[in-house]
Amino acid sequence: MKICFFGDITCAIKGQTIGGGELQVFLLAKSLALHGHEVFIIDPYADEALKTPEGINVITVPNWNKGVKGLRMFLYRIPALFRTFALLNADYYYVRMRSYLHLIPYLVAKRKGRKFIQAIASDIDVLNAKEKFKYLYKSNFHALRFLTESLPNDLAFNFLVRNSDHVILQHIGQKFVSKSLNQVVFSNIIDLTNLPVNNNPSKDYFIYVGSLTMIKGADKLLTLINSIDLSIKVLIVGSPKGVEPTAIYEKLGKKENVILKGRKSHAETLDLISNAKAIINTSYHEGFPNIYLEAWAMGVPVISLSVNPGGVFDHNRLGVCCNGNLQRMQLCMQSDEMNSFKEDELKAYVQEFHDLRSAADRFLNAISTHHQVAE
């Protein structure tokens, strides 16, 4: 099989991931390449073409930065992308996240009689326009950016979901109502080979990991930390994005039981997680957070305010989903409840359902015509 991915993925290959979606594309590409498939990533943001040790071919886009900003998209970038995708002539074209540029590989796939895959990157993707605006755009709204980027991205995404050969869901809770869509579930991936081994974790703090934004519940995090006993230490790894989250971040920094770590490397973040009593997550919406998988793979449970991807907490002993109840979350942190979760069970769950080594086979099974999501 010859498969083509698209996006700013080279950063993830080099260990400088800018987001969970990019990391997941790289891990899927890596797994498929290790299983002998022809794997290409068209990355217009890459400095140079390269081939990874696993066999992933990264292709740059000619003239990507040529021309005057504003005009170069139409004069250089879009034509160059068409040519690059067409020359590759892959069996499958795979995109993730929302971008109007994804219309180009779609059109190439249709013209050549190939398959196009649209993957869901977050629960935000499946919200309606009103909810998207409320949770994603409202807190940091810029009219020009919304009209020239956000709205075109959303319109293109809606079209691609309706017309893709396969729509890949992270969990069953992302299922679209339409019966005409070929929807399949393919769980997020984690590479278990690069995780730190911590035989004597301190477990004397809770940890929040990720950007502070309103969609990630920065307001709820502040309310939670204001409600817990000052003897409970909380580490926050990440930085704020937006005016309101920045103000919240500054308030959190004044709390005597809060330690602001700022942005850390992936390796440093994993080390901090491995010593935590539990991960805390106050997001309104996510997909299937990579941070959950990383925590469970190191034997650390999760306390989630609302995010329960596919009901994973309901069917596995991985921590607690509080169903939006901050008081329940507070009680989890102030009791010994987290001690009841067993490291071996947490690790076993990840190995069975999310391991990189089985990802290629799971993906190929998912896109076969016999594994559609039940209506």
Side-chain angles (χ1 to χ4, degrees), residues 3-31 39-50 52 54 56-61 64 85 94-99 102 119 121 189 290:
I3 184 166
C4 173
F5 297 92
F6 174 60
D8 188 1
I9 313 302
T10 307
C11 55
I13 294 174
K14 295 181 177 180
Q16 302 165 341
T17 309
I18 59 174
E22 290 82 1
L23 176 60
Q24 286 301 314
V25 171
F26 165 56
L27 291 175
L28 176 56
K30 180 178 178 178
S31 181
V39 178
F40 295 84
I41 295 175
I42 295 178
D43 186 346
Y45 309 100
D47 295 329
E48 59 183 359
L50 60 90
T52 71
E54 300 86 10
I56 302 170
N57 300 279
V58 177
I59 300 173
T60 58
V61 179
W64 186 255
F85 278 111
Y94 174 111
V95 299
R96 194 175 177 115
M97 290 83 75
R98 301 188 305 279
S99 171
H102 293 166
I189 308 165
N290 292 322

Side-chain angles (χ1 to χ4, degrees), residues 236-305:
I236 297 178
V237 180
S239 55
K241 291 183 179 180
V243 176
E244 194 172 351
T246 298
I248 291 172
Y249 189 75
E250 291 172 355
K251 290 178 182 178
L252 289 168
K254 295 175 182 178
K255 301 287 293 183
E256 62 183 79
N257 60 329
V258 173
I259 300 173
L260 301 179
K261 287 289 190 178
R263 294 188 66 179
K264 293 292 182 182
S265 70
H266 192 217
E268 291 173 312
T269 302
L270 290 176
D271 185 62
L272 291 170
I273 293 172
S274 72
N275 279 292
K277 190 177 296 185
I279 286 268
I280 57 173
N281 180 293
T282 55
S283 292
Y284 289 96
H285 295 282
E286 296 244 12
F288 201 129
N290 292 322
I291 205 68
Y292 283 16
L293 300 181
E294 290 168 341
W296 294 331
M298 293 185 288
V300 177
V302 174
I303 307 173
S304 171
L305 178 60

Side-chain angles (χ1 to χ4, degrees), residues 112 115-116 150 214-216 218 307 331 349 366 371:
K112 290 182 170 290
K115 299 291 187 180
F116 181 84
S150 303
M214 300 315 294
I215 187 68
K216 288 185 177 291
V307 175
L331 291 172
Y349 165 79
H371 289 81

Side-chain angles (χ1 to χ4, degrees), residues 86-291:
L87 285 171
L88 196 56
N89 198 25
D91 299 308
Y92 287 90
Y93 291 86
Y94 174 111
V95 299
R96 194 175 177 115
M97 290 83 75
R98 301 188 305 279
S99 171
Y100 61 86
L101 290 177
H102 293 166
L103 290 168
I104 298 173
Y106 167 79
L107 291 172
V108 170
K110 295 300 107 178
R111 183 179 299 173
K112 290 182 170 290
R114 307 298 188 175
K115 299 291 187 180
F116 181 84
I117 298 172
Q118 173 69 61
I120 305 303
S122 168
D123 290 353
I124 288 290
D125 292 345
V126 303
L127 296 180
N128 61 40
K130 182 179 179 181
E131 290 175 315
K132 242 177 226 174
F133 184 83
K134 174 183 176 182
Y135 288 111
L136 190 61
Y137 303 130
K138 185 179 178 182
S139 65
N140 195 26
F141 183 74
H142 296 282
L144 182 62
R145 184 174 62 197
F146 178 77
L147 291 173
T148 60
E149 294 181 27
S150 303
L151 184 58
N153 288 346
D154 288 342
L155 292 173
F157 175 81
N158 292 339
F159 171 83
L160 292 173
V161 165
R162 293 193 304 271
N163 292 280
S164 295
D165 295 288
H166 300 285
V167 177
I168 304 288
L169 314 177
Q170 295 170 300
H171 59 81
I172 192 65
Q174 293 176 337
K175 181 184 173 186
F176 291 89
V177 175
S178 174
K179 295 181 179 180
S180 63
L181 301 183
N182 186 6
Q183 305 176 69
V184 294
V185 174
F186 174 70
S187 301
N188 275 7
I189 308 165
I190 182 170
D191 186 349
L192 299 173
T193 60
N194 297 317
L195 296 175
V197 177
N198 193 340
N199 294 320
N200 189 28
S202 61
K203 294 194 178 295
D204 60 352
Y205 58 81
F206 294 90
I207 186 169
Y208 173 96
V209 179
S211 300
L212 257 74
T213 63
M214 300 315 294
I215 187 68
K216 288 185 177 291
D219 53 336
K220 296 294 185 181
L221 180 63
L222 179 61
T223 302
L224 174 68
I225 289 178
N226 281 335
S227 73
I228 61 175
D229 192 274
L230 289 175
S231 63
I232 299 172
K233 187 162 65 173
V234 179
L235 267 62
I236 297 178
V237 180
S239 55
K241 291 183 179 180
V243 176
E244 194 172 351
T246 298
I248 291 172
Y249 189 75
E250 291 172 355
K251 290 178 182 178
L252 289 168
K254 295 175 182 178
K255 301 287 293 183
E256 62 183 79
N257 60 329
V258 173
I259 300 173
L260 301 179
K261 287 289 190 178
R263 294 188 66 179
K264 293 292 182 182
S265 70
H266 192 217
E268 291 173 312
T269 302
L270 290 176
D271 185 62
L272 291 170
I273 293 172
S274 72
N275 279 292
K277 190 177 296 185
I279 286 268
I280 57 173
N281 180 293
T282 55
S283 292
Y284 289 96
H285 295 282
E286 296 244 12
F288 201 129
N290 292 322
I291 205 68

